[in-house]
């Protein structure tokens, strides 16, 4: 048995499930057109659950959002044009980018080579964005070329426990890049879907089901969250309503730390409501990573007609406000957080730990995770999100992969929220 290598905690039980996609027919969904969304305002309420999976593109960006970005940049409007400037300045967005695909990717342990993969994913995503916003076909062709190279080469994903992080992070990022070029004739959509369903999704499901044979509280929230993102994104890309349902069910009810009442285990009745983040006692870099992961999840769900943003009385907003307030240099309340770690054995392994205060490690770190959260709660819904707004303004204009460090942590989020939201 592989020894677990991460350590999280317990929280309140999840709320009851909603069968958003119950009764949906894949045959019917496949015949529905997403063209109506292009005329829909980016701030409109999501479609009814029956229309889920009829929207393409429909992950972190819809046709309406892409059109809005194109029009704002063409008009020279700020701050969107400043966000466009960051995209153009990023070396990964060059149409001349050449992929370096691997047959066998390893994250963690002997032979680790995954650092060759994530720059290519971000290059595909960034080129796809440049194609949509500028109309330059060279960038669309570059995105297709990169993605085709990987789907035609990659066969396995391995390593130590970190392989599950890779399957989650890069599964959802790959799917988001592919969604933006899904209808280009030079993109092999079927082969790419086979890669996502054959390599990434089985590992995602394995992790959500048994958490690498660890006790359920062992893994931090971000491990679940990136895995949930991958299941959701792959479900959207491949028109698999069962995968979308699986991801949303886990968001509401999942036993691990990525479900909403475990990711935000404690609520504090101050500042209109603050939600203590599961990793707040660990460090702020991973805490902000969690905001980015759950923000991506909620945005993808929203664009498929499912309101996870508002679930449990906007619980995610309370968590984002908490993290933003602390990282802006302010005090926040903290409830002791106790969890068990270690392998899931009989008799149970006893490995209990407690965080007694919010961690100052990496406090004030800048990550491109705030624009979409602000755009939803303040822009779409008109809710008070003052701390989130201040963080978004501090980071603005948001960059993307490669702008926040050369190691994998600098590629945890796709970024460019200032441009897109």
């Amino acid at each position: 048995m592989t020894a677990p290598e991460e350590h999280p905690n317990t929280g309140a039980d999840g709320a009851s499930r909603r069968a958003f996609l119950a009764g949906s027919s894949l045959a019917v969904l496949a015949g529905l057109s997403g063209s109506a969304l292009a005329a829909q305002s980016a701030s409109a309420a999501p479609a009814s659950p029956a229309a889920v999976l009829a929207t393409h593109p429909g992950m972190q960006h819809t046709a309406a959002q892409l059109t809005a970005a194109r029009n704002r940049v063409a008009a020279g409007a700020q701050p969107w044009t400043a966000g466009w400037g960051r995209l153009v300045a990023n070396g990964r967005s060059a149409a001349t980018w050449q992929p370096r695909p691997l047959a066998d990717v390893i994250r963690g342990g002997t032979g680790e080579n995954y650092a060759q993969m994530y720059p290519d994913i971000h290059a595909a995503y960034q080129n796809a964005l440049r194609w949509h916003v500028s109309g330059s076909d060279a960038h669309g062709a570059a995105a297709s070329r990169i993605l085709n190279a990987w789907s035609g080469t990659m066969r396995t994903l391995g390593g130590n426990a970190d392989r599950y992080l890779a399957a989650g992070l890069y599964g959802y990022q790959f799917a988001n890049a592919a969604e933006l070029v899904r209808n280009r004739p030079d993109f092999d959509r079927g082969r790419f879907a086979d890669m996502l369903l054959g390599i990434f999704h089985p590992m995602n499901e394995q992790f959500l089901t048994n958490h690498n044979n660890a006790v359920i509280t062992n893994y931090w929230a971000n491990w679940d969250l990136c895995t949930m993102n991958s299941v959701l994104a792959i479900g959207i890309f491949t028109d698999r309503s069962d995968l979308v349902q699986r991801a949303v069910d886990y968001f509401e009810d999942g036993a691990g730390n990525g479900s909403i009442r475990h990711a935000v285990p404690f609520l504090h009745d101050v500042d209109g409501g603050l939600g203590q983040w599961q990793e707040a006692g660990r460090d702020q870099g991973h805490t902000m990573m969690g905001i980015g992961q759950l923000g991506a999840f909620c945005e993808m769900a929203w664009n498929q007609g499912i309101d996870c943003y508002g679930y449990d009385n906007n619980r995610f907003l309370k968590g984002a406000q908490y993290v933003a307030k602390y990282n802006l240099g302010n005090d926040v309340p903290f409830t002791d957080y106790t969890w068990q770690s270690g392998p899931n054995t009989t008799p149970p392994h006893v490995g209990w730990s407690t965080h007694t205060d919010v961690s100052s490690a990496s406090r004030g770190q800048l990550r491109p995770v705030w624009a979409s959260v602000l755009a939803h709660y303040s822009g779409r819904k008109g809710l008070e999100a003052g701390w989130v707004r201040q963080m978004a303004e501090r980071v603005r204009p948001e960059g993307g992969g490669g702008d926040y460090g050369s190691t994998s942590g600098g590629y945890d989020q796709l970024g460019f929220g200032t441009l897109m939201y």
Side-chain angles (χ1 to χ4, degrees):
M1 179 177 65
T2 302
E5 295 160 25
E6 285 278 323
H7 322 285
N9 162 331
T10 56
D13 289 336
S16 60
R17 298 180 179 179
R18 293 170 292 169
F20 286 111
L21 311 181
S24 64
S25 166
L26 289 178
V28 172
L29 293 172
L32 292 176
S33 169
S35 60
L37 188 71
Q40 180 182 330
S41 165
S43 63
S48 66
V52 166
L53 305 187
T55 300
H56 293 296
M59 290 189 205
Q60 289 190 244
H61 312 306
T62 63
Q65 290 169 325
L66 291 161
T67 298
R70 181 168 63 248
N71 291 341
R72 287 162 174 162
V73 170
Q78 294 292 0
W80 301 277
T81 300
W84 170 251
R86 292 217 67 177
L87 175 61
V88 171
N90 191 306
R92 280 136 294 275
S93 76
T96 54
W97 186 273
Q98 294 301 317
R100 298 187 301 153
L102 295 165
D104 303 300
V105 177
I106 299 172
R107 176 164 180 170
T110 303
E112 183 172 84
N113 61 6
Y114 78 107
Q116 192 166 313
M117 179 168 68
Y118 56 74
D120 279 0
I121 298 173
H122 285 254
Y125 171 75
Q126 292 177 25
N127 271 282
L129 276 189
R130 288 189 68 172
W131 171 53
H132 278 281
V133 176
S134 73
S136 171
D137 191 68
H139 290 287
S144 294
R145 181 179 68 249
I146 295 164
L147 297 173
N148 287 340
W150 277 92
S151 68
T153 304
M154 187 175 179
R155 296 295 176 264
T156 66
L157 176 57
N160 61 20
D162 285 0
R163 68 191 184 277
Y164 293 113
L165 274 179
L169 285 168
Y170 309 130
Y172 103 85
Q173 291 178 358
F174 255 143
N176 268 271
E179 179 77 350
L180 293 176
V181 297
R182 64 179 293 119
N183 292 325
R184 284 186 61 92
D186 57 359
F187 173 56
D188 193 335
R189 189 169 79 195
R191 190 174 72 190
F192 203 83
D194 288 344
M195 181 185 75
L196 293 176
L197 289 170
I199 299 174
F200 290 88
H201 175 254
M203 295 181 67
N204 300 151
E205 184 57 38
Q206 184 180 6
F207 185 77
L208 290 183
T209 300
N210 64 32
H211 288 83
N212 196 31
N213 298 316
V215 293
I216 194 59
T217 59
N218 183 83
Y219 285 92
W220 301 101
N222 71 80
W223 287 67
D224 267 4
L225 289 169
C226 67
T227 303
M228 293 155 54
N229 274 344
S230 186
V231 174
L232 178 59
I234 293 171
I236 294 168
F237 183 76
T238 61
D239 288 321
R240 286 279 301 272
S241 61
D242 59 319
L243 302 190
V244 174
Q245 181 72 63
R246 167 64 163 148
V248 173
D249 284 350
Y250 198 93
F251 165 83
E252 295 182 357
D253 279 352
N257 285 309
S259 59
I260 185 62
R261 294 198 183 195
H262 292 93
V264 186
F266 304 115
L267 299 180
H268 302 281
D269 190 18
V270 295
D271 281 359
L274 296 177
Q276 184 174 314
W277 196 259
Q278 191 262 339
E279 298 187 61
R282 180 190 184 193
D283 66 69
Q284 297 309 305
H286 286 97
T287 294
M288 279 187 273
M289 177 188 176
I291 297 297
Q293 295 298 318
L294 190 48
F297 185 92
C298 290
E299 186 68 14
M300 289 190 291
W302 176 270
N303 287 333
Q304 293 300 326
I306 305 166
D307 186 7
C308 293
Y309 278 118
Y311 189 76
D312 197 19
N313 194 26
N314 299 305
R315 196 178 186 99
F316 176 41
L317 172 60
K318 295 178 176 69
Q321 286 276 84
Y322 180 97
V323 176
K325 181 177 181 180
Y326 182 68
N327 282 279
L328 286 163
N330 303 285
D331 293 334
V332 292
F334 190 87
T335 298
D336 286 358
Y337 183 75
T338 299
W339 74 97
Q340 185 185 22
S341 60
N344 187 17
T345 60
T346 303
H349 173 83
V350 178
W352 293 94
S353 302
T354 299
H355 286 149
T356 59
D357 200 1
V358 61
S359 172
S360 62
S362 304
R363 188 178 188 182
Q365 185 182 94
L366 298 183
R367 285 191 176 227
V369 304
W370 300 101
S372 63
V373 181
L374 178 65
H376 178 80
Y377 287 114
S378 182
R380 288 178 181 140
K381 307 302 291 184
L383 298 175
E384 173 58 37
W387 298 116
V388 169
R389 178 180 297 279
Q390 289 185 52
M391 278 299 297
E393 290 171 348
R394 177 171 289 189
V395 181
R396 187 179 295 163
E398 287 184 0
D403 290 328
Y404 299 89
S406 60
T407 60
S408 60
Y411 292 80
D412 284 342
Q413 285 81 41
L414 291 170
F416 302 105
T418 303
L419 169 65
M420 293 310 304
Y421 304 108

